Amino acid sequence: MAIPIKPIEQLLEKVLCMNILSSDYFKELYRLKTFHDVIDEIYNQVDHVEPWMTGNCRGPSTAFCLLYKFFTMKLTVKQMHGLLQHQDSPYIRAIGFLYLRYAADAKTLWGWFEPYIKDEETTDEPNKVGHDKNRTAEDLKGLERVTILSSFNVACF
């Protein structure tokens, strides 16, 4: 059973979506037909999970192109568990958490995130407090805060 998600065009910032859909890399991803093909591509190509490429080239990142590819595939609960429990790369897991953050109902996130909140696995991405590595648990807490804040009605303020 697929995890219910919002319409794809509502998941990411419009400019980012337009850049993903027009990128040569995303167009190359049409060759990937299965969930496992996309996981292999993440393993081989992703080295950060920021939305935009680093350096002078400001196109969409490989990670977010692959995340969008997963949006088009409408992942199942079983596939999501496979992503979150994957042992080969923290980036495979990170893209799974990003999928949930953007696509899943905010009311269900804690059920997905809670088993990993004390996770000690790290990525090579610098964190906000100046350490060389970021722990999965730190990333999850940040995603949870952003999701909670974004689910409030701004008109209340």
Side-chain angles (χ1 to χ4, degrees):
M1 176 166 78
I3 297 171
I5 66 170
K6 304 167 204 159
I8 292 177
E9 61 276 359
Q10 295 176 8
L11 298 177
L12 299 172
E13 173 189 321
K14 187 173 186 139
V15 172
L16 180 57
C17 283
M18 289 178 7
N19 277 276
I20 289 171
L21 292 172
S22 65
S23 78
D24 291 337
Y25 179 69
F26 183 74
K27 291 173 186 171
E28 290 175 21
L29 297 179
Y30 291 128
R31 67 183 162 70
L32 305 179
K33 301 295 183 201
T34 70
F35 171 75
H36 294 289
D37 290 342
V38 179
I39 286 179
D40 289 344
E41 186 75 4
I42 294 168
Y43 181 82
N44 291 316
Q45 300 300 325
V46 174
D47 61 4
H48 70 90
V49 290
E50 294 293 325
W52 300 98
M53 288 181 183
T54 58
N56 293 334
C57 188
R58 294 302 296 170
S61 70
T62 303
F64 270 69
C65 287
L66 290 159
L67 174 63
Y68 199 95
K69 176 71 175 180
F70 274 148
F71 291 155
T72 66
M73 297 172 81
K74 298 186 174 158
L75 300 182
T76 66
V77 170
K78 182 178 178 182
Q79 289 170 326
M80 183 54 56
H81 283 294
L83 281 177
L84 300 181
Q85 296 168 359
H86 211 285
Q87 298 297 312
D88 291 348
S89 166
Y91 299 111
I92 295 169
R93 297 176 69 210
I95 289 175
F97 290 121
L98 285 170
Y99 183 96
L100 290 168
R101 188 276 178 236
Y102 285 107
D105 184 338
K107 294 174 187 160
T108 67
L109 285 181
W110 181 248
W112 286 103
F113 287 5
E114 193 268 335
Y116 304 96
I117 209 70
K118 294 187 180 196
D119 196 312
E120 292 295 323
E121 184 171 31
T122 62
T123 64
D124 291 329
E125 299 193 31
N127 64 26
K128 305 293 186 262
V129 292
H131 298 152
D132 292 338
K133 297 183 181 281
N134 229 3
R135 284 186 20 245
T136 300
E138 292 167 356
D139 293 335
L140 285 178
K141 289 173 188 170
L143 283 177
E144 185 75 15
R145 277 192 293 277
V146 168
T147 303
I148 290 168
L149 291 174
S150 67
S151 66
F152 283 113
N153 185 347
V154 177
C156 294
F157 299 100

